[in-house]
């Protein structure tokens, strides 16, 4: 009986802790379209993971991971929550060149600088700029080096 109560108490504690962590899932539309996921790491800093297709000839697929530091959380409105953030990350991309009939793999660094607003309902909007420098067997990836994006996410 004591073990059962201890297990139930532990499960409830873990569920309360897990539900207190901010997460968001949605899309980012910029140089292409990305499936975007955010999760809080510490304080207000968060990791952002994206899986997407670049619009350059519709032939590039990429995965990015960015550690965003919350720079400022201005109190501009009485409802909702604002945030300025930025940070470094890494990305990997696969580009299929139809002209060369070959595929190229690129890897490199990604940066992020943005502004987000989380409504009192589970909706988050963000605007960001995302510079990237990618290298691979096709040389330097010159498309989408500077990408502006609009993010729409379900915050839970």
């Amino acid at each position: 009986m004591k073990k059962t109560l201890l297990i139930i108490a532990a499960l409830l504690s873990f569920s309360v802790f897990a539900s207190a962590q901010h997460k968001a899932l949605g899309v980012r539309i910029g140089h292409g379209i990305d499936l975007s996921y955010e999760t809080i790491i510490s304080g207000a800093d968060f990791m952002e993971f994206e899986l997407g297709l670049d619009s350059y000839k519709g032939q590039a697929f990429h995965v990015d991971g960015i550690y965003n530091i919350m720079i400022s959380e201005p109190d501009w409105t009485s409802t909702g929550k604002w945030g300025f953030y930025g940070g470094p990350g890494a990305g990997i991309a696969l580009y299929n060149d139809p002209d060369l009939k070959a595929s190229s793999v690129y890897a490199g660094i990604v940066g992020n600088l943005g502004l987000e607003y989380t409504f009192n309902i589970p909706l988050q909007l963000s605007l960001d700029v995302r510079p990237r420098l990618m290298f691979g067997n096709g040389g330097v990836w010159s498309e989408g080096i500077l990408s502006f994006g609009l993010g729409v996410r379900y915050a839970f």
Side-chain angles (χ1 to χ4, degrees), residues 17 52 68-71 91 115 121 125 131 133 154:
F17 178 72
N68 287 298
I69 299 163
M70 191 59 71
I71 299 167
L115 171 68
I121 59 174
L125 298 177
L133 190 55
Y154 173 76

Side-chain angles (χ1 to χ4, degrees), residues 105-117:
V105 176
Y106 293 86
I109 58 173
V110 180
N112 200 23
L113 184 61
L115 171 68
E116 71 181 13
Y117 180 73

